Amino acid sequence: MKKLLLASAIAGLSVGLTTPTMAAEDNYEQYQAAIDQRGDSGVSGTAIFIPQNGEMTVKLNVENADGMSAGLHKGICRYAEDSDGAPDLLAFDDDPLFELSAVDGNESSTTIELSAEGLMGDPQSVAIHDGSSIVACGNIQ
């Protein structure tokens, strides 16, 4: 596990990404990623990923996003507006891999069929959508 974390950290640094924080809790690990506002949206927060039994619970705590939709996307936030010329592995896919529950108040919780290995595989991001606009985004890996 230490080798996987070290490799993930090195890979994240080599492409200028922030790697998720991992903390041991009970019999599982959880991963965390910061969700940063885009433009002057005022929307920001945290995504926590809790793997258990081959599934992943995604908990969002997001300010100023009540009623907005969220999704887990292939690619990184840097290319959310324009993936032209982006390396295939990093290009942001507008169609989410997984739709997440809409933000209710400041929170959202969704369980999806995704393992920790799937989460930490190819670069992915969490995006908060206000209609068709991405108002906040956070790189997972």
Side-chain angles (χ1 to χ4, degrees):
M1 183 53 120
K2 288 182 182 179
K3 289 181 183 178
L4 175 63
L5 291 175
L6 179 58
S8 294
I10 291 170
L13 292 174
S14 67
V15 292
L17 303 176
T18 304
T19 57
T21 313
M22 188 177 75
E25 187 174 288
D26 296 328
N27 293 326
Y28 58 87
E29 299 168 331
Q30 60 185 24
Y31 304 83
Q32 180 174 324
I35 300 173
D36 299 316
Q37 76 174 347
R38 300 192 66 80
D40 295 327
S41 71
V43 177
S44 63
T46 304
I48 298 173
F49 304 88
I50 306 166
Q52 196 166 31
N53 301 323
E55 294 183 324
M56 184 75 58
T57 299
V58 183
K59 293 186 177 194
L60 304 179
N61 187 343
V62 187
E63 298 290 324
N64 304 313
D66 188 31
M68 294 184 188
S69 61
L72 180 65
H73 294 261
K74 174 189 174 292
I76 63 171
C77 298
R78 175 179 176 184
Y79 298 111
E81 280 81 26
D82 185 10
S83 282
D84 290 342
D88 288 341
L89 185 64
L90 303 178
F92 186 90
D93 188 345
D94 291 330
D95 295 323
L97 295 168
F98 295 96
E99 296 274 343
L100 304 176
S101 297
V103 178
D104 184 10
N106 291 336
E107 299 177 345
S108 169
S109 182
T110 310
T111 300
I112 57 178
E113 290 187 33
L114 181 68
S115 66
E117 292 80 17
L119 178 71
M120 300 305 291
D122 291 339
Q124 298 175 50
S125 55
V126 173
I128 307 299
H129 304 263
D130 187 7
S132 62
S133 298
I134 296 174
V135 295
C137 194
N139 295 322
I140 298 168
Q141 174 181 0

